[in-house]
Amino acid sequence: MGIQDIIEGKRQWRAHVARVKALPPDYQIVYKEMQKYLFKVGPVDLADGRLLPGIVDFFETGAADGRGVLELIGPDVAAFCDDLIKDSRTYADAYQESIGAKPGTDKK
């Protein structure tokens, strides 16, 4: 990764953060919780840059339609996030594979 790639990545991230800050306050709170959750347990390919901007697009549309954020995602932020990433390989899956367990099973 060259210096130009780093500069471009930072420019894109700043533009993304500006879009989040333009959302209504309740949307911002929920977005930050979703972001925190996804960074913690989310998909390995989260860094490819499509999921979080897609959420902001979804939220911008909902806000423009005058809908509350919980009308869009429901009362359980984690469940909504889990549904978004259900078909993606997560860090938890990678960890389970590294210790020899099958993802989705308890190894005792």
Side-chain angles (χ1 to χ4, degrees):
M1 177 181 286
I3 189 76
Q4 291 300 331
D5 295 331
I6 294 170
I7 291 170
E8 179 62 20
K10 285 186 177 187
R11 186 191 64 75
Q12 289 175 358
W13 183 252
R14 286 186 187 119
H16 175 78
V17 169
R19 288 178 63 203
V20 172
K21 288 182 179 180
L23 292 169
D26 56 334
Y27 279 83
Q28 289 181 43
I29 292 167
V30 171
Y31 174 83
K32 288 176 185 173
E33 289 302 312
M34 291 175 72
Q35 181 185 39
K36 189 183 332 177
Y37 182 82
L38 291 169
F39 281 162
K40 186 175 182 181
V41 300
V44 173
D45 61 355
L46 183 62
D48 78 2
R50 292 188 308 247
L51 181 61
L52 295 176
I55 293 169
V56 175
D57 292 341
F58 180 60
F59 280 6
E60 287 172 338
T61 301
D65 291 343
R67 298 179 66 192
V69 68
L70 295 181
E71 287 180 67
L72 297 176
I73 68 162
D76 189 341
V77 174
F80 182 81
C81 291
D82 287 341
D83 195 43
L84 284 177
I85 62 172
K86 68 182 174 200
D87 296 326
S88 301
R89 185 169 178 260
T90 66
Y91 288 111
D93 296 335
Y95 175 72
Q96 290 295 323
E97 291 166 6
S98 75
I99 61 171
K102 292 182 183 176
T105 63
D106 269 341
K107 184 174 182 179
K108 294 184 180 185

